[in-house]
Each structure stands twice: as C-alpha cells, then as structure tokens.
Amino acid sequence: MKRKSMLFLVLLLSVSMLLSACGSGNNGNSEASGNKEETPTITWLNMLHTPSPPTDTVLNKIEEATGVNIEFSWIPDASKEERLNTSLASDSLADIVTITILDNASVRNALKAGVFWEIESYLDEFPNLAAISDDFRTSASIEGKLYGIPMQKQVARNGVVIRKDWLDKLGLPVPKTTDELMEVAKAFTEQDPDGNGVDDTTGFMDRSDLVYGAFKTLSSYFGTPSVWAVDEDGKVTPEFETEGYIKTMDYMKQLYESGYINQDFAVTAKTDQQQNFAQGKAGIYVGALFGSKNLRNLAKGVQDDMELVLVNDITSTGNESDRAIWSTTNGVGGLLAFPKSEVKDEEELRRVLKFVNDLMSEEVYALMTYGIEGVHYTLDENKAATIMDTDLWKQEVQPFAGSRPSELGYEIRENDPLKAEADRLIEENTKYAVLNPMFSLESPTFTAQGSELQKIITDATYKYILGRIDLDEFQGAVNNWRKSGGDKIIEEYEAAYKQVNG
C-alpha cells in the first residue's frame, strides 16, 4: 500500500511540474506566439516588377494593419506569362493570384472554366470593394462575369511633355492643336532652341511603340477610337480602318519627312528615347505624363536648366468638345483572383475579400506606396510625402507598388510639383477618356491570333510613315488582316457585344 501511495505521489508531482512548465512557457513567450497561431495566413501569387523582392520591414506593418500573415510567391514580370500558365496547368496556385495578362488564352480559359470564384455578388459586403465603379466592374468582366477584384489604375495617363525653357527662348506658346504642335516641332528642329549654335536638336523624340509612344496619343487628337469602335447598331470597326488613324499616319509621316522627329524612332528603345530627351536632343516627348519626373531626374547634371510643361488638352480642331485620350485597358491593371482549389468555401472567400478590402485603406496604400513614415518618408501638413532615402525605398517599398488593388482616391501624395501636376492632368484625363468597348468581351480568334495579326498592321503602319508604301498598299495590308482572321474577330466581337448588351 505504501508503495502504491508513493507511486501515486510521484505521478501527481510529475503532472503538476509538467502543467507548471507549460503554463510558465506560455507566459514567458509573450502572447505573440499564441496570437500567431490564431492569425489567419493568406498566400499570394504575385508579380514582381523590381529586380528583387522586398524585405519584411514594410510587410510586417501591412500584416499588422490587416491582421493577416501574408506569404508571397513572387513571379518576375518578365516571365509572368510562362510562370502563370505553368501554375494554372499544375494547379499550384495561392489564395490570391495576381493576373495582369487578361488577354492570355490560358488565363481566359481558366477564368471561364470556373477555376476562380465569381465575386461580384460579394463586393457590396465590404465598403472599399463596394465603391468599385460599374465601369471598372464591366471592363474587368469576362463575358459579363467578374472573376476577381479589378486592379484600379488611372483610366488615361498619357499626354505631351515639352521643354518649356525652349518654348520661352523661341517665344512660342504652349501648343493647343496638332498644327501648333507641328510648328513647335519645326522650331525645335530649325531654330537652335538650346542656343549652342549647332544643328543638333529635333522636335519629337519617339520610340518603337505604336501604343505607348507618340502614335496612339496623337491618334486620340485626330478622333481615332481606342482599339475598336462600335456603333449604335453593334457594328464593330478596328481603329486602323478609321479616318483618324489615317490622319495620324499622315501626321507622323510629315514629322519624319521634315526631320522633326528622330529618324530612327521606328527602332529606338524606350530607355534610349528617355536618355536622348534628357540629354537635350529633342524637346517633345509623348507618353505617360508621370514619366516627366523621370525625364527631369535623368537630365540632372546634363540639362540642369530643363523646365518642362505638361499638356493634355491638344486637339486637331481647336474645339474643347473634341478633347479625347485613349484608354486601351479602361484603367484595369488586372485582377486579384481567388482559385477555388485554395479558397474552399464562401466563408474563406469572404475572409480573403475582407483582406483585399483592408489593403485598399489609406493606411495600407501609404505603406505600399511610400513605406513607413519616419523611416522611408516624411509627411507635411498637406499630406505630401517626401522620400527620405531613395535606395532604401526602392529596396523595401517599391516592390509592393504593383500589388496595390487601387491607385485612386487617396489623400496622401508625392511632394513634387511636377509629379503633382502630372497626377492632376491624369485625373482630368478621365473626363475625356475613350474606352475600348471590346476590352471585356471574348473573341476566340483574337485570343489565339490577335498578336500575330496585329503585326500585319504594325508593319504596314511603320512602312507608310517611313514612305515605303502608299495608302493603297496600306489598305492592302488591312485586307490581308481581314482575310487572315480579322473578319472572324469582328464577327465574334459583334456577337459577344450583342450577347452582353442585348
């Protein structure tokens, strides 16, 4: 009996010590470990637009603000199509998948096949998601269904950047029409705007890009639709069959033949275009207005007297009512999509949607754009942010910029007058934006052959501008486009438009 009592006492003492150890361990480890287990984790297959992923400095703050542990899997932007196709094929996805290539056949097929949740009916449950406009929802839909949160960007960002110091030196006003812009290009080429006594300047500095270079923005000024036009009867017309497109080609042809544009523009890379402009070789740059800040920074130490003016109200007629600016993607930068293989049920879907809703707060937007106040930036009384250490910001903050669900409507802004003016004009562009009516619609032929067929038009456009073919030969290329699949694309888009719009 005594032996049994002793064994019982030893066992009781052992259990007491074990419980005591467990208790003291929980108290001594702080509550963080316990909370960590309770904090939900969200995985995110995301695009990386910078050389390397961010450190955890800002990520930790984003996790604090959203109450979520975030596990990123980063895909370099340069290999996004291959990697995303592979992930779809192997079903190796994440709770959130950033999709920026909505015209990719594999992506569109996966969206339509029900791989991802259809989420429009859930948006109004969350205040920031509920505020997404009908235009964004429609533009981001596939055949009328929304399979992810639209990544909202400015609808129309382009305009004209001009050397104001050169305008002032030559006594020229800021141009308001395409004819006046031509006169500025002529003067910048012929009247020695930099005053060095050498014939070494031209008007436009352009690059080999008919979309993001000068051509498409100029075409807006001549009334060209944005990729496609559709009339009240649902008849679809490609932009290159419109009068505005021909007028733009003629305008560019005049610039080229007169020497008012860099003669190698058809083979010039974007980086070379920007470097040449920054070095004072030309005075007109057409592209994203926010790029003016980069042009000015590139010019430091080379063209320190450079003064830029940003212009977004040029027309070919001089009439305010004719103002227009293209918007190929209608401001949709992609989708944040939620695969059913990872997000198993509606409860889990709502949890992930709440996380995206929280990402759209002013606090998290500031973290993903500027970083941590006092570490990466300072803030003045007007909510203007000044970056403290550009290299640190690039390493710890910049990689998050491509992950923001929205870039619109926030109070905090950059404390740079030129960037502030660019932002103001880009916002103003929204009122004059010409949307692509086919952006959210489906044409299987366009998905399969669109890029290949576009090469026919791109090649013919350059040849016409460079004087290697005439208008009849250009029309011949258009007919070739139609016979090679273009007619089928138009037919499919007309059917899709009718199905969605009745």
Side-chain angles (χ1 to χ4, degrees), residues 99 281 290 319 364 456-457 483-484 489 502:
I99 299 175
K281 296 180 180 179
F290 58 74
N319 298 325
V364 179
I456 298 173
I457 303 302
K483 288 185 294 185
S484 302
I489 291 173

Side-chain angles (χ1 to χ4, degrees), residues 240 245 449-459 481:
F240 46 82
Y245 194 94
Q449 296 180 246
S451 297
E452 178 185 346
L453 290 175
Q454 182 59 39
K455 291 176 183 177
I456 298 173
I457 303 302
T458 299
D459 185 51
W481 176 89

Side-chain angles (χ1 to χ4, degrees), residues 43-63:
T43 57
W44 191 344
L45 188 63
N46 204 7
M47 302 300 148
L48 182 67
H49 301 273
T50 55
S52 58
T55 63
D56 289 346
T57 307
V58 173
L59 176 61
N60 292 337
K61 291 293 184 181
I62 296 172
E63 290 178 331

